[in-house]
């Protein structure tokens, strides 16, 4: 997410360039969206998809235009509630289950409900969400329900030891669950670089070109799914020589929007590179990594942010993602889905969000 004027200029230029190229493409009759918005009645983003009870449930952000001008901290992403979507089959009708959790019902919340995720264990569904607390520090909360579509009831306090944004919960085949989380720049991850919160610390990851890039975080969840069971660890992404990616490596380093899926016994850590707008993947042998960088698997979508989830459904793999097709505005996004393919060698086939 954007965080300072310089970055905003880059972002605006990027958005402008992206939109211009899309428009130019349309003008020449060459470019078309690969897939259509899943729902048009509300704006939705950051889709975390799961299969529960034989259906697909999508846990997205609910984008609104709160009338807040775009500024250094991403204040215009001022979401106030969550709506959960479901569908019985890919291509079938999408149900909007209405408000599942409202910010007014989260006792510790200040503002900005960003990208959520969900998990299931022993008859209970867990909704994990990042929101700024009353001191304007992003924390991660949890809410529970007996129904995958909610409504959810929030715990009175954030998950102890949690910080930053974009929780993604992965449950391994042995039943153990892990939360991946973090996002740099507006997601505040850089403020925790020392292990303590530094409100006046570096505003971005810039100017640390030759240091290892800031890492996404991972923690095992306790059996109650409401606490971290172990320490918070770095999700280290290494290059083909085993060296951690560097801060200057904006085309490959982690920015936000992580996800984990397991395929043929390997752990695929996928994420957004933020300011360079790629979705990349890195493969490891266990949920903690390290993960070896393997490449880009999705080219930039229309809009500044790019955020996804990957899920297997009825023998096929799908990626849920968003763009700004409906509004043309950075903060009013729409979720989409398309099929994702693993090649025979374990690599992921490149996805172009536009087709020629
Ligand atoms: O929706 C708000 C933020 O935008 C998310 O937390 C990021 O991943 C980006 O998509």
């Amino acid at each position: 997410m954007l965080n300072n004027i310089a970055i905003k200029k880059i972002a605006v230029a990027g958005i402008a360039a992206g939109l211009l190229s899309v428009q130019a493409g349309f003008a020449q009759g060459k470019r078309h969206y690969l897939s259509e918005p899943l729902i048009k009645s509300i704006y939705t983003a950051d889709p975390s998809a799961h299969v529960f009870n034989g259906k697909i449930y999508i846990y997205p952000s609910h984008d609104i235009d709160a009338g807040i001008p775009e500024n250094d901290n991403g204040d215009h992403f001022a979401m106030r509630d969550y709506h959960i979507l479901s569908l019985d089959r890919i291509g079938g009708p999408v149900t909007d289950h209405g408000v599942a959790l409202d910010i007014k019902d989260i006792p510790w919340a200040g503002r900005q409900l960003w990208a959520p995720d969900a998990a299931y264990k022993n008859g209970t569904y867990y909704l994990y969400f990042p929101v700024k607390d009353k001191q304007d520090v992003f924390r991660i909360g949890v809410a529970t329900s007996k129904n995958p579509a909610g409504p959810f009831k929030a715990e009175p306090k954030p998950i102890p030891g949690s910080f930053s944004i974009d929780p993604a919960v992965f449950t391994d085949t042995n039943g153990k669950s892990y939360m991946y989380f973090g996002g740099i720049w507006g997601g505040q991850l850089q403020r925790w670089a020392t292990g303590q919160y530094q409100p006046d610390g570096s505003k971005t990851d810039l100017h640390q070109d030759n240091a290892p890039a800031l890492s996404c975080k991972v923690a095992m969840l306790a059996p109650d799914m409401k606490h971290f069971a172990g320490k918070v660890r770095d999700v280290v992404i290494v290059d083909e020589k085993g060296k951690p990616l560097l801060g200057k490596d904006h085309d490959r380093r982690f920015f936000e929007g992580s996800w984990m899926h397991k395929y043929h016994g390997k752990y695929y850590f996928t994420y957004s590179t933020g300011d360079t707008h790629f979705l990349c993947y890195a493969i490891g042998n266990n949920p903690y990594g390290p993960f070896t960088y393997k490449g880009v698997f999705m080219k930039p979508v229309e809009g500044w942010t790019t955020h996804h989830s990957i899920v297997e459904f009825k023998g096929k793999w799908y990626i849920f993602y968003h763009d700004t097709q409906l509004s043309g505005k950075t903060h009013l996004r729409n979720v989409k889905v398309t099929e994702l393919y693993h090649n025979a060698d374990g690599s992921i086939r490149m996805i172009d969000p536009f087709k020629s």
Side-chain angles (χ1 to χ4, degrees):
M1 301 306 309
L2 306 193
N3 196 284
N4 65 28
I5 297 298
I7 291 161
K8 196 153 64 180
K9 281 182 183 158
I10 296 168
V12 169
I15 293 162
L19 288 177
L20 282 176
S21 62
V22 170
Q23 284 159 2
F26 282 127
Q28 294 160 18
K30 282 184 187 161
R31 300 187 88 190
H32 300 277
Y33 295 99
L34 178 64
S35 57
E36 289 298 308
L38 286 172
I39 183 166
K40 297 184 177 177
S41 50
I42 58 172
Y43 291 112
T44 53
D46 309 323
S48 293
H50 292 273
V51 178
F52 295 134
N53 307 324
K55 291 169 70 156
I56 294 179
Y57 286 85
I58 306 171
Y59 298 82
S61 299
H62 175 199
D63 283 356
I64 54 169
D65 193 347
I68 298 172
E70 194 164 331
N71 72 6
D72 295 355
N73 290 320
D75 286 350
H76 48 300
F77 289 95
M79 298 82 105
R80 296 184 188 129
D81 63 24
Y82 293 117
H83 284 225
I84 292 158
L85 312 177
S86 70
L87 53 166
D88 291 328
R89 60 181 174 83
I90 299 294
V94 176
T95 302
D96 172 358
H97 294 271
V99 176
L101 179 64
D102 192 300
I103 196 165
K104 70 176 168 41
D105 298 321
I106 304 168
W108 56 274
R111 60 186 182 132
Q112 294 180 289
L113 278 177
W114 283 11
D117 192 20
Y120 168 80
K121 185 175 179 183
N122 295 342
T124 300
Y125 295 88
Y126 298 84
L127 179 68
Y128 299 95
F129 56 89
V131 67
K132 282 179 179 164
D133 65 15
K134 295 186 194 303
Q135 286 72 47
D136 235 23
V137 179
F138 268 118
R139 304 278 181 181
I140 296 170
V142 58
T144 56
S145 177
K146 292 295 177 189
N147 185 325
F152 283 85
K153 180 165 175 47
E155 292 294 303
K157 295 199 168 155
I159 294 174
S162 71
F163 53 89
S164 197
I165 61 168
D166 290 359
V169 173
F170 163 72
T171 299
D172 206 346
T173 35
N174 62 6
K176 291 191 170 143
S177 295
Y178 303 81
M179 181 186 289
Y180 298 82
F181 62 95
I184 60 175
W185 298 13
Q188 301 183 342
L189 185 61
Q190 68 282 350
R191 298 187 187 184
W192 296 89
T194 63
Q196 301 294 319
Y197 183 70
Q198 294 184 300
D200 300 322
S202 166
K203 283 189 174 171
T204 73
D205 70 328
L206 302 177
H207 312 299
Q208 302 188 48
D209 282 359
N210 294 310
L214 292 168
S215 295
C216 181
K217 305 294 176 189
V218 59
M220 186 188 285
L221 287 173
D224 72 359
M225 300 291 274
K226 296 176 182 172
H227 295 84
F228 293 155
K231 64 176 187 171
V232 173
R233 306 183 191 208
D234 285 340
V235 177
V236 177
I237 305 170
V238 298
D239 64 16
E240 63 286 352
K241 293 180 182 156
K243 296 245 171 68
L245 299 185
L246 298 180
K248 66 184 172 191
D249 197 347
H250 290 212
D251 280 352
R252 301 195 297 175
R253 61 92 170 90
F254 167 78
F255 189 103
E256 64 184 2
S258 65
W259 192 257
M260 171 60 64
H261 76 277
K262 191 174 184 181
Y263 180 75
H264 287 184
K266 297 286 186 187
Y267 295 81
Y268 285 65
F269 178 72
T270 48
Y271 59 97
S272 165
T273 61
D275 56 334
T276 48
H277 316 289
F278 296 121
L279 289 180
C280 295
Y281 71 111
I283 298 179
N285 293 318
N286 68 75
Y288 293 122
F291 299 92
T292 303
Y293 178 85
K294 293 294 178 182
V296 172
F297 72 96
M298 190 166 194
K299 295 179 183 175
V301 297
E302 179 187 343
W304 200 92
T305 64
T306 182
H307 190 122
H308 77 295
S309 63
I310 294 170
V311 68
E312 186 178 21
F313 183 59
K314 297 188 176 169
K316 292 184 172 183
W317 288 88
Y318 296 93
I319 177 170
F320 289 77
Y321 64 104
H322 69 226
D323 66 16
T324 57
Q325 179 179 342
L326 290 178
S327 75
K329 294 183 180 169
T330 304
H331 65 296
L332 297 176
R333 299 160 291 181
N334 47 260
V335 298
K336 298 184 163 187
V337 62
T338 195
E339 198 165 346
L340 176 138
Y341 298 92
H342 299 88
N343 296 314
D345 64 358
S347 60
I348 300 178
R349 189 193 296 176
M350 179 70 82
I351 300 166
D352 187 339
F354 300 98
K355 55 188 177 186
S356 48

